[in-house]
Amino acid sequence: MSGEPSLPFSPPQIDRVTFFKRDEITTDLICCEVVVSGQIHFFHEECAEWRALLNSFCDLTGFDDNWFAKVQCPPFQACETVAFVRR
């Protein structure tokens, strides 16, 4: 066991992954919404599951590995990008 927090879903259950930023006044918080069976699961870069979440996306065919570049600039704007949609 790695000690890494587990996710409430597995990659084959994921329908959609959307990344965006929240303006936290002096910094931006990178956030992610994962849709699984119509339910939205919210994560952000400071939550314990963040690393496990990012690792789970490696198993998604067609996942946009360039999501971070699309979300990071310009600062203090939402910059939403859909990184995966199950077809």
Side-chain angles (χ1 to χ4, degrees):
M1 214 179 248
S2 68
E4 190 172 83
S6 63
L7 299 171
F9 50 80
S10 63
Q13 296 173 302
I14 296 173
D15 296 318
R16 183 181 179 100
V17 177
T18 305
F19 288 96
F20 59 96
K21 292 184 304 204
R22 281 193 177 164
D23 181 357
E24 300 280 308
I25 308 296
T26 59
T27 61
D28 282 328
L29 183 68
I30 305 295
C31 302
C32 181
E33 288 183 348
V34 179
V35 178
V36 176
S37 300
Q39 290 187 325
I40 298 173
H41 299 265
F42 174 79
F43 301 88
H44 58 79
E45 64 186 330
E46 295 178 357
C47 70
E49 301 87 2
W50 187 252
R51 182 64 49 205
L53 178 70
L54 296 182
N55 289 340
S56 75
F57 298 149
C58 294
D59 296 331
L60 297 177
T61 302
F63 181 81
D64 183 358
D65 292 324
N66 199 31
W67 68 266
F68 187 77
K70 294 176 180 178
V71 170
Q72 72 174 352
C73 291
F76 307 113
Q77 291 185 12
C79 301
E80 182 176 298
T81 188
V82 175
F84 175 78
V85 176
R86 186 165 308 281
R87 306 231 185 264

